[in-house]
């Protein structure tokens, strides 16, 4: 079946100018998605340059590999970007000129009901970016203990009603397993006081985000992967990272801080014993946000933050 992959690349111009593309350079798009950013990067490259695209979603790889098939200098890999070191090995590449990470889910994933990411459509509780993995949202909702559910809703969703939502899930699943996105949605909505529903971008948003992060292990090794990729940049090369919620952004901010700081000894250490040396500098002191027009046209861009680091 032909995939109808709809996704508008967020802050496209800001990402492209932030990467300061070298036409002969090697670039990695760690989150290929529908290839919106990748296509524009490829347009700026000479045949000598190369773009490597990774995605853990086979649908994204299939769609975008076909879409970009006229570019002979494009290679794609179905893998989690936490395994990007394997891609360096396979291609026998040592250093690259730029890296893009556009975190989270694509509009295609969110809007395809059968993928089970959204509380707006009825679908199976799935939420796997990589459909070959075992853990699904169904497993989280139906097998995690009350304490585990509270923890993920609180930590990954920053949900203030974590306990009452987890309690209602446990109560409902004792009657029968919770199978669909809309069943879960109702269980959440039933316990959130009406006066708090307004202004939350949908009562279910935080819990769905939390379950999605858990299912896809989204924060695991993100920090380490950013440090690894920054070390793989050539001098003057850049890494641009788009985040969509505070947990991701905090990890990027802290990783960039480590990369831009000479000494990372604990604050009260009298003399430096770590020997750490900065290898990067921030291109923008503050994260870049989408312009008013983009925010109006693409709701996904309203919470996006773009941070860019340059290798020194
Ligand atoms: C926001 S979309 C990227 C959209 C893309 N920049 C574009 O313009 O079309 C994020 C994509 O990254 C993928 N993804 C998220 N986390 C990943 C990870 N750890 N490893 C590989 N792919 C990941 C998702 O499957 C999704 O297709």
């Amino acid at each position: 079946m032909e995939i109808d992959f709809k996704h508008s690349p967020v802050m496209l111009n800001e990402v492209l100018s932030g990467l300061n593309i070298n036409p002969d350079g090697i670039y990695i798009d760690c989150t290929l998605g529908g290839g919106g950013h990748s296509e524009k990067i490829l347009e700026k490259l000479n045949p000598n340059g190369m773009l490597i695209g990774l995605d853990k979603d086979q649908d994204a790889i299939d769609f975008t590999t076909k879409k970009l098939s006229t570019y002979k200098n494009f290679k794609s890999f179905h893998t989690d970007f936490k395994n990007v070191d394997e891609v360096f090995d396979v291609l026998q590449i040592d250093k690259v000129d730029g890296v893009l990470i556009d975190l989270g889910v694509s509009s295609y994933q969110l809007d395809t009901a059968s993928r089970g990411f959204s509380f707006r459509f009825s679908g199976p509780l799935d939420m796997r970016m990589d459909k070959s993995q075992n853990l699904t949202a169904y497993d989280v909702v139906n097998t995690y203990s009350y304490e585990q559910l509270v923890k993920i809703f609180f930590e990954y969703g920053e949900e203030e009603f974590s306990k009452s939502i987890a309690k209602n899930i446990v109560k409902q699943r004792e009657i029968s397993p919770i199978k669909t996105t809309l069943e879960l949605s109702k269980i959440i909505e039933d316990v959130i006081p009406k006066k708090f529903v307004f202004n939350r971008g949908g009562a279910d948003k935080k819990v769905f985000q939390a379950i999605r992060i858990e299912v896809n292990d989204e924060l695991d090794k993100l920090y380490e992967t950013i440090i690894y990729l920054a070390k793989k940049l050539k001098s003057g090369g850049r890494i641009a990272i788009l985040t969509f919620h505070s947990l991701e952004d905090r990890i990027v901010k802290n990783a960039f801080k480590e990369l831009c700081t000479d000494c990372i000894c604990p604050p009260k250490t009298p003399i430096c014993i770590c020997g750490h040396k900065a290898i990067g500098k921030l291109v923008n002191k503050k994260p870049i946000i989408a312009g008013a027009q983009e925010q109006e046209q693409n709701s996904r861009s309203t919470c996006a933050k773009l941070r860019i680091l340059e290798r020194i």
Side-chain angles (χ1 to χ4, degrees):
M1 199 181 68
E2 193 78 1
I3 301 168
D4 184 19
F5 204 114
K6 290 210 173 71
H7 181 89
S8 305
V10 169
M11 283 192 250
L12 182 56
N13 293 332
E14 293 84 343
V15 166
L16 288 175
S17 64
L19 284 173
N20 195 21
I21 310 271
N22 162 13
D24 293 317
I26 303 175
Y27 288 82
I28 304 186
D29 181 348
C30 289
T31 47
L32 187 60
H37 291 105
S38 275
E39 187 170 26
K40 295 293 168 196
I41 295 172
L42 279 163
E43 282 176 10
K44 289 186 173 282
L45 294 180
N46 291 329
N48 294 336
M50 172 159 58
L51 177 70
I52 303 152
L54 320 182
D55 207 293
K56 62 197 276 185
D57 188 333
Q58 188 67 54
D59 286 356
I61 292 291
D62 290 347
F63 172 84
T64 305
T65 305
K66 193 170 166 200
K67 170 174 148 175
L68 302 178
S69 60
T70 52
Y71 291 97
K72 301 300 168 219
N73 51 352
F74 170 65
K75 290 188 194 320
S76 61
F77 290 84
H78 177 223
T79 185
D80 194 304
F81 61 66
K82 69 177 96 159
N83 304 319
V84 65
D85 55 327
E86 292 170 12
V87 174
F88 277 89
D89 287 349
V90 170
L91 296 175
Q92 299 192 321
I93 289 171
D94 182 30
K95 294 269 162 97
V96 295
D97 297 80
V99 174
L100 170 64
I101 307 180
D102 175 10
L103 286 163
V105 269
S106 63
S107 304
Y108 162 76
Q109 288 165 325
L110 275 176
D111 296 343
T112 305
S114 61
R115 302 295 301 266
F117 280 101
S118 175
F119 49 86
R120 288 182 292 124
F121 314 107
S122 180
L125 275 176
D126 190 321
M127 297 198 200
R128 289 170 301 171
M129 290 180 186
D130 180 354
K131 285 190 267 181
S132 68
Q133 77 169 45
N134 288 328
L135 185 73
T136 65
Y138 177 93
D139 301 323
V140 172
V141 170
N142 289 287
T143 67
Y144 276 29
S145 67
Y146 165 78
E147 289 77 16
Q148 283 174 304
L149 290 174
V150 172
K151 187 168 183 286
I152 65 164
F153 297 162
F154 192 72
E155 284 182 10
Y156 296 160
E158 298 174 317
E159 169 59 70
E160 51 274 60
F161 299 104
S162 297
K163 286 186 179 167
S164 38
I165 294 169
K167 205 164 142 194
N168 204 21
I169 288 175
V170 172
K171 188 173 137 203
Q172 294 301 325
R173 75 190 189 191
E174 274 166 10
I175 304 166
S176 66
I178 302 159
K179 291 195 180 125
T180 69
T181 49
L182 293 191
E183 280 175 62
L184 176 62
S185 195
K186 173 145 192 348
I187 291 167
I188 300 166
E189 284 167 20
D190 280 350
V191 294
I192 296 185
K194 293 287 166 283
K195 64 174 177 180
F196 290 100
V197 172
F198 191 66
N199 263 346
R200 285 170 57 108
D204 331 74
K205 197 174 171 193
K206 294 179 178 186
V207 169
F208 271 66
Q209 172 184 297
I211 298 172
R212 193 198 86 205
I213 293 174
E214 174 69 13
V215 169
N216 297 292
D217 213 359
E218 288 180 34
L219 305 180
D220 179 55
K221 306 250 166 42
L222 178 57
Y223 190 96
E224 294 83 348
T225 306
I226 295 169
I227 303 283
Y228 173 84
L229 284 165
K231 289 182 178 166
K232 285 292 196 181
L233 289 171
K234 293 177 191 164
S235 174
R238 291 184 174 186
I239 177 167
I241 309 185
L242 277 163
T243 62
F244 294 86
H245 55 79
S246 57
L247 301 173
E248 291 171 345
D249 187 55
R250 203 173 308 144
I251 293 174
V252 178
K253 187 177 161 187
N254 289 338
F256 277 14
K257 192 172 170 203
E258 176 180 329
L259 290 160
C260 296
T261 308
D262 272 338
C263 166
I264 54 168
C265 289
K268 287 191 177 146
T269 316
I271 52 160
C272 173
I273 49 165
C274 70
H276 187 267
K277 287 273 168 266
I279 63 161
K281 63 176 186 199
L282 296 180
V283 173
N284 301 84
K285 292 268 175 286
K286 291 214 159 133
I288 302 168
I289 57 167
Q293 198 184 354
E294 181 173 2
Q295 292 204 26
E296 209 168 284
Q297 285 166 355
N298 180 4
S299 61
R300 262 198 100 244
S301 70
T302 53
C303 48
K305 284 186 177 160
L306 172 64
R307 293 183 188 269
I308 305 162
L309 174 137
E310 181 175 308
R311 181 76 204 252
I312 48 180

